[in-house]
Amino acid sequence: MEIGIVGLPNVGKSSLFNALTAAGVASENFPFTTIEPNVGVVPVKDPRLYKMQKIFSSPKVVPAAIRFVDIAGLVPGASQGAGLGNKFLSHIRSVDAIAQVVRCFENKDVVNVLGDLDPKKDAEIITTELILADLEQADKLREKYRGAAKSGDEDARKIFSILESVYEKLKEEIPVRKQGLALATVKDFNFLTAKPVLYVANAGDNADPGLVDQVRELAKKEQAEMVELNAKLEADVMSFPEEEREPYRHELGLQESGLDRLAHAGQRLLRLISFFAAGPKEVHAWHVEEGSSAPKAAGKIHSDFEKGFIRAEIYQAEDLFREGTEAALRARGMIRMEGKDYIVKDGDVLHIHFKA
């Protein structure tokens, strides 16, 4: 699953991407520096991994990860092809969620394409462009299903009715995610405004607390996640040798990196939970969506595990920490056998039994 980093030009998207991945993506001071989407796989820190590593004396730890895609800046009129709009919108359509970067700092050396800083207006421009793109998409889909719906095809009639409702509410500037529809109902239509949103307030070196508060209020109103960070500072820290990064952050009073905060927010945004496979060779974390079955989780480890799933031995990581060993858990009857209907919980440790 991927989260697209979007925003207007020069709000700090590429600097943020540099900070997250130390990938050195171009971040020159002009619009459209980023043309092809750059993908960064960002590990999610989880203290439970290292506790299990000690218990099993494992030489290898593999954290779960979030994939971030850096998408070039949108401009007003992108939905009509302004700038490189159509190409950028297609990149957004391919991701599962959106992290919208909003500029909350003054810097005369970094051009603000809209003039005055106004986080609310910036966010509204992005939302408007996505709504306009979705209106066009909904209209095309309505035409596709209209004939079959009129001819009495019941499935087509139901789909057409949903699309009519979506279209009318989009005209009222209501994003699809706020229209009260089950995600599964509109998932196949791939509407841009159906995707969950995370707001990233880029505070910069000369942050205006009032502007950051505007982003916080906007996120609260949208019932969205919100992260405040200084993308340039985070990028600077990531340019240090790895062993010097944490001490420098502590000197600056930063308790955790922007990478960690954004990755954890992304985890919540995508409704992901972590489960583990643990043993003397390695301790490995995987993400799976909330409500996923044991076979689906097994498939994250290997597709053969899902296809040939028989059952899973399962226990909670916290029980392991309390009892100290798997042998102690087994002696207390705390390791369970679960079948195909079991819904995986955050912190589960799975041993998969499967048929090749």
Side-chain angles (χ1 to χ4, degrees):
M1 301 186 79
E2 295 180 337
I3 299 176
I5 301 175
V6 305
L8 299 175
N10 294 349
V11 296
K13 298 182 311 302
S14 293
S15 293
L16 173 60
F17 191 78
N18 293 350
L20 291 172
T21 65
V25 176
S27 56
E28 283 83 3
N29 177 27
F30 55 87
F32 312 127
T33 297
T34 309
I35 296 177
E36 295 301 327
N38 300 279
V39 179
V41 181
V42 182
V44 179
K45 281 189 177 179
D46 191 327
R48 295 173 294 186
L49 278 169
Y50 303 97
K51 290 182 180 180
M52 282 187 277
Q53 182 185 29
K54 288 183 179 179
I55 290 172
F56 289 100
S57 299
S58 308
K60 186 178 179 182
V61 170
V62 183
I66 300 285
R67 289 169 62 89
F68 286 94
V69 181
D70 186 25
I71 298 170
L74 291 174
V75 295
S79 59
Q80 304 302 315
L84 298 176
N86 292 330
K87 193 171 187 179
F88 299 165
L89 289 167
S90 71
H91 291 157
I92 298 172
R93 206 175 293 283
S94 69
V95 300
D96 301 286
I98 296 170
Q100 184 172 333
V101 183
V102 183
R103 179 171 167 173
C104 298
F105 66 92
E106 288 282 3
N107 187 333
K108 293 179 181 178
D109 296 327
V110 180
V111 177
N112 183 25
V113 294
L114 294 182
D116 295 335
L117 288 178
D118 188 338
K120 186 178 178 183
K121 181 180 178 182
D122 289 1
E124 285 174 350
I125 287 171
I126 298 293
T127 299
T128 296
E129 293 304 322
L130 300 186
I131 284 175
L132 289 172
D134 276 355
L135 270 168
E136 183 179 352
Q137 171 90 336
D139 195 33
K140 288 178 181 177
L141 288 166
R142 285 191 314 164
E143 292 308 309
K144 177 181 177 181
Y145 286 97
R146 188 187 300 276
K150 284 184 176 180
S151 67
D153 184 311
E154 186 62 21
D155 289 339
R157 189 190 64 76
K158 288 178 181 177
I159 293 171
F160 182 77
S161 177
I162 291 168
L163 291 170
E164 280 279 77
S165 174
V166 167
Y167 182 78
E168 291 302 320
K169 288 180 180 177
L170 283 168
K171 283 169 63 177
E172 297 173 20
E173 300 186 359
I174 302 173
V176 175
R177 64 178 172 275
K178 297 179 72 176
Q179 293 185 16
L181 296 165
L183 183 58
T185 305
V186 293
K187 188 175 183 181
D188 291 341
F189 302 135
N190 207 11
F191 288 120
L192 299 173
T193 62
K195 301 177 190 296
V197 173
L198 157 69
Y199 289 99
V200 182
N202 184 11
D205 292 331
N206 298 301
D208 183 331
L211 297 180
V212 174
D213 285 342
Q214 285 185 37
V215 180
R216 187 172 288 108
E217 289 170 11
L218 178 63
K220 186 177 179 180
K221 179 181 177 182
E222 296 282 335
Q223 297 180 315
E225 293 281 341
M226 184 269 193
V227 173
E228 176 189 352
L229 49 74
N230 181 335
K232 182 178 180 299
L233 175 61
E234 294 289 348
D236 290 344
V237 171
M238 289 301 290
S239 70
F240 288 13
E242 189 171 353
E243 66 276 9
E244 296 180 16
R245 293 172 187 169
E246 284 301 316
Y248 185 62
R249 284 194 189 98
H250 289 153
E251 282 184 28
L252 296 173
L254 301 173
Q255 298 304 309
E256 61 178 338
S257 72
L259 181 156
D260 295 336
R261 277 182 282 145
L262 192 55
H264 284 124
Q267 206 176 16
R268 294 189 297 272
L269 185 69
L270 295 171
R271 297 179 62 248
L272 300 177
I273 61 170
S274 297
F275 71 94
F276 308 100
K281 291 185 178 179
E282 72 173 29
V283 177
H284 199 137
W286 281 272
H287 281 144
V288 71
E289 290 178 82
E290 289 177 6
S292 294
S293 65
K296 185 172 181 180
K300 297 291 183 181
I301 302 173
H302 197 289
S303 58
D304 287 348
F305 290 5
E306 182 173 8
K307 292 174 186 174
F309 182 90
I310 300 172
R311 61 185 179 276
E313 291 183 84
I314 297 175
Y315 60 84
Q316 266 283 312
E318 293 299 330
D319 291 337
L320 175 66
F321 303 150
R322 186 171 57 253
E323 300 299 327
T325 65
E326 277 190 347
L329 290 175
R330 206 172 294 279
R332 290 179 174 269
M334 300 177 74
I335 298 180
R336 312 179 311 280
M337 284 289 188
E338 299 287 357
K340 294 181 178 181
D341 294 333
Y342 177 75
I343 301 301
V344 174
K345 298 177 178 61
D346 185 69
D348 276 349
V349 182
L350 275 63
H351 293 284
I352 307 298
H353 295 254
F354 73 105
K355 179 172 61 177

